[in-house]
Amino acid sequence: MLQRRFVFPSVIEMNYQARRRVGVNVYLIDGGDEFILIDVGFLEDTVVVLQLIRDMGYSFSACKMVVATHADVDHTQGLARARDVLKCPVAAHPRSVPAIESGDELFTFARIDAQGISIPMPKCRVDVQIDEGSKIQVGPHEIEVWSTPGHAAGQLAFKMGNLLFSGDNIFRDGCVGAIDAHHGSNIPDYIASLERIRDCDAEFLLPSHGPIFRKDVDLLNRTIDRLEGYKHMSDFGTCAVDWPLMDAWEDELIRGDLDF
C-alpha cells in the first residue's frame, strides 16, 4: 500500500502525494471511515487521482462527496467519471450547477475559439447545492462553506480549523484566477473575497493551483491594491467599473484643449 503523505492532519493533496505535478490541486479530507474530495481536475487527472486513492488503501465506497470549487473545466472535466466510479454525490454552488450539468464549453473555458482550444466537457449531475453557510461533515471534521465570488460567481472556499481551501482566489505569488467578462468575473466581488480571506483567522491557504502557503497579509494587501487598480483600467473591459481617461478626455474636449 502506498504511504499516505498528509500535508496537514487529515489532509492529502494529490500533487504532493504523487511528488509530481498531476494537475489542479485535488484535496482529500480524511474523516476516518469516510472522506471527501475537493475538485478532481481534468479527466486525465481524475484517472490518476482515483488510482492514487486506491493505492493509498482507501475504499471508493468511503467517499462521501466530491465538491467542486467552481465550474471551470480544469477543475470539473473529470467530475462525471469520479461520480460514476465513486458512486457518491457531487456538490457545487448554485451558480456553477447549470454549466456543470449542461457541459457548457464556453462558460467553463473548455472551448476558446480565438486560441483554438476545444476539449470535451462531459455533463455531470450535481446532487447537492452548497452555498455560504453550508456545512460539510467528514468524520470528526466540520467544514464551513464560503461563497467567494470574483473569479467566478460560483467560486467556493472551504474553512477547516486554521486551514482555508481557497480555490482560485489567491496563489502564493500573489496572482489570482483569471478575470474574464465571459466567465462572469466581478472585480469588486473579488476584492471583497480577498479582504475576507485576509481578515480571517486561517493560518494556511490551500489553493487550487500551485503550492500551499502560509497566509501572508502583506501579499494579500498588494493583490487587493492591484485589483483596486484593475477596476479603473480598460485592460479588463466590461469587468472594469469605469475608465477615468474617458472622463478626463471629455473635459478636455469641452475646453477645446489641443495640447498634445
Side-chain angles (χ1 to χ4, degrees), residues 37 64 115 142-143 168 171-172 177 181 184 201 218 224 228:
L37 294 176
K64 181 177 183 176
Q115 295 180 319
E142 183 176 81
I143 300 171
D168 276 6
F171 309 122
R172 193 177 72 179
D201 62 358
D218 289 339
I224 290 166
E228 286 285 356

Side-chain angles (χ1 to χ4, degrees), residues 25 48 51 73 179:
N25 293 1
V48 175
Q51 187 60 54
V73 64
I179 296 172

Side-chain angles (χ1 to χ4, degrees), residues 47-142:
V47 172
V48 175
V49 166
L50 292 172
Q51 187 60 54
L52 283 169
I53 290 170
R54 175 173 284 168
D55 290 346
M56 287 187 288
Y58 287 102
S59 169
F60 285 171
S61 63
C63 187
K64 181 177 183 176
M65 183 181 292
V66 176
V67 183
T69 57
H70 58 301
D72 285 359
V73 64
D74 55 331
H75 297 251
T76 61
Q77 191 195 29
L79 268 182
R81 173 68 65 85
R83 184 176 182 274
D84 181 58
V85 171
L86 297 171
K87 311 297 184 189
C88 69
V90 166
H93 187 279
R95 297 290 293 274
S96 295
V97 172
I100 293 171
E101 292 198 329
S102 68
D104 187 328
E105 295 177 350
L106 293 177
F107 186 82
T108 62
F109 292 144
R111 177 180 156 198
I112 306 175
D113 291 341
Q115 295 180 319
I117 295 172
S118 182
I119 59 177
M121 183 60 197
K123 300 176 182 179
C124 181
R125 177 180 171 183
V126 176
D127 307 281
V128 180
Q129 295 190 22
I130 53 176
D131 201 345
E132 177 70 34
S134 299
K135 307 283 188 184
I136 301 172
Q137 195 72 36
V138 191
H141 308 297
E142 183 176 81

